[in-house]
Amino acid sequence: MQVIEAYKPFEIQEIELTEWKQRPVKNNFFELVLIKNGEGSQCINYNDVRYNKGSIFLLPPLKCHSFNIEKPTKFVFLKFTDSFFKNINRITIDRNEWFKEASYILSNYNQLPGDIIKNDVDRNHLKNLISMILEESRSYGNESINLITSLMTSILELLIRNIKKSSYFEMPNNNSDDRITKMLTYINENIDKTALLKVENLADVFMMSPTYVSEFFKKQVHMPLREYILKAKLKLVEIRLLNSDFTLTQIADELGFTDVSHLSKTFKRYAGTSIREFKNNGEYMLLKRATCSPSITI
């Protein structure tokens, strides 16, 4: 087993296994897995899917996942840890923009089993980027921080592109009107821009009358527009609470809540628990779900 820590926010692990063994539980933001060779199946939430050489999976936090190894398998685990979004002023990147990108992935990925990459071009891009990160980490360590940061940014962009194009993106099932797909994409991409989510603006963008927008949305999604937007924001609130050091004031301001009190009351009404209770229980939930299949689960 080889574990390479290029720098604290990222951990890169390359390991060859003949049998899956439980690994130490860490509160990673999410984890990308490349199968360099081997055969078997991946399990997430008790659903199984085949894997082989070149398969790429996204493992979100707080979910039960494991691998059933049929032929010796070499894995590369690329972990995006939550510490990346905490106290990283020394790194010359836009912390807020990175977090929004990563949050977009988690809030719109349905966390089903299966390969996250849907075309060979992007698969080759990702394999090459991961190889470069491994080589830079081995050869230069902390000297390559800025370059590895750029490579990780590219990986995030590729993940977002594939999530948008795949069935993992949270879209209504069996829907023949592609306008709702475009509208949902627009809403999720601009979830922190309250003005752009107003009915009047959506009407302009999608060439509908303001009175028809809400009716159209509810008919297609089976949920009122306002409720959908609010729940999408609350999913991002949960991600920020567990994986960043943003203050409640910052979260409320970014996502368009009137103030912290408004955010807290809305969160409790929909989540059924207070923000403090949710944060306190976050690590317990991670540990509980990580042991849902004791013999083989990470």
Side-chain angles (χ1 to χ4, degrees), residues 29-48:
F29 196 64
F30 59 86
E31 188 171 10
L32 193 67
V33 184
L34 167 65
I35 307 296
K36 296 195 79 171
N37 53 58
E39 292 182 15
S41 60
Q42 180 218 26
C43 174
I44 185 167
N45 296 340
Y46 309 108
N47 296 301
D48 292 289

Side-chain angles (χ1 to χ4, degrees), residues 22 25 63-65 285-293 297-298:
Q22 184 175 341
V25 176
K63 292 291 175 181
C64 174
H65 45 260
M285 290 295 292
L286 175 70
L287 292 170
K288 182 179 178 182
R289 297 188 190 185
T291 57
C292 59
S293 182
T297 303
I298 41 176

Side-chain angles (χ1 to χ4, degrees), residues 4-226:
I4 305 168
E5 292 196 15
Y7 52 102
K8 201 67 172 178
F10 301 126
E11 182 180 300
I12 304 120
Q13 181 183 34
E14 189 173 32
I15 180 173
E16 186 164 12
L17 297 173
T18 57
E19 181 183 3
W20 188 254
K21 297 182 184 298
Q22 184 175 341
R23 297 185 298 158
V25 176
K26 293 186 178 180
N27 190 11
N28 301 311
F29 196 64
F30 59 86
E31 188 171 10
L32 193 67
V33 184
L34 167 65
I35 307 296
K36 296 195 79 171
N37 53 58
E39 292 182 15
S41 60
Q42 180 218 26
C43 174
I44 185 167
N45 296 340
Y46 309 108
N47 296 301
D48 292 289
V49 67
R50 298 290 303 172
Y51 74 75
N52 49 38
K53 181 179 180 179
S55 295
I56 298 174
F57 302 106
L58 184 64
L59 304 181
L62 305 182
K63 292 291 175 181
C64 174
H65 45 260
S66 61
F67 290 90
N68 178 30
I69 299 170
E70 297 173 5
K71 291 186 178 180
T73 300
K74 180 174 282 188
F75 298 90
V76 176
F77 296 98
L78 186 57
K79 303 178 183 180
F80 294 66
T81 69
D82 59 358
S83 63
F84 182 83
F85 306 100
K86 300 176 182 178
N87 305 316
I88 58 166
N89 294 330
R90 68 185 185 281
I91 300 175
T92 56
I93 61 172
D94 188 326
R95 170 178 179 269
N96 291 335
E97 286 305 313
W98 255 77
F99 193 83
K100 288 177 185 177
E101 295 284 276
S103 295
Y104 183 89
I105 290 174
L106 289 186
S107 65
N108 292 289
Y109 177 62
N110 285 336
Q111 302 170 359
L112 298 172
D115 200 314
I116 190 67
I117 305 301
K118 301 304 178 184
N119 67 78
D120 291 337
V121 172
D122 283 354
R123 188 179 308 282
N124 287 332
H125 286 339
L126 271 175
K127 288 164 66 176
N128 290 335
L129 287 167
I130 291 170
S131 294
M132 289 176 68
I133 289 172
L134 282 168
E135 185 60 36
E136 283 294 317
S137 302
R138 293 191 189 102
S139 301
Y140 299 102
N142 287 338
E143 295 177 18
S144 60
I145 286 177
N146 289 334
L147 177 55
I148 291 178
T149 298
S150 297
L151 296 173
M152 299 294 282
T153 304
S154 299
I155 286 175
L156 275 179
E157 292 293 339
L158 286 170
L159 289 175
I160 291 170
R161 181 161 76 187
N162 279 266
I163 287 170
K164 287 180 180 178
K165 291 181 178 180
S166 75
S167 59
Y168 292 117
F169 193 66
E170 191 174 273
M171 298 297 180
N173 295 323
N174 303 319
N175 200 297
S176 59
D177 195 329
D178 66 351
R179 291 180 299 172
I180 192 61
T181 301
K182 294 175 181 178
M183 186 178 290
L184 286 168
T185 301
Y186 182 87
I187 289 170
N188 281 282
E189 288 180 338
N190 295 288
I191 199 67
D192 60 334
K193 301 177 180 68
T194 302
L196 298 184
L197 303 183
K198 291 183 177 179
V199 169
E200 293 77 11
N201 182 65
L202 293 175
D204 288 339
V205 171
F206 296 99
M207 295 181 288
M208 301 178 183
S209 69
T211 55
Y212 182 60
V213 169
S214 296
E215 178 185 340
F216 169 79
F217 189 92
K218 186 173 183 179
K219 181 179 179 181
Q220 298 294 322
V221 182
H222 310 295
M223 182 187 300
L225 172 62
R226 184 176 178 182

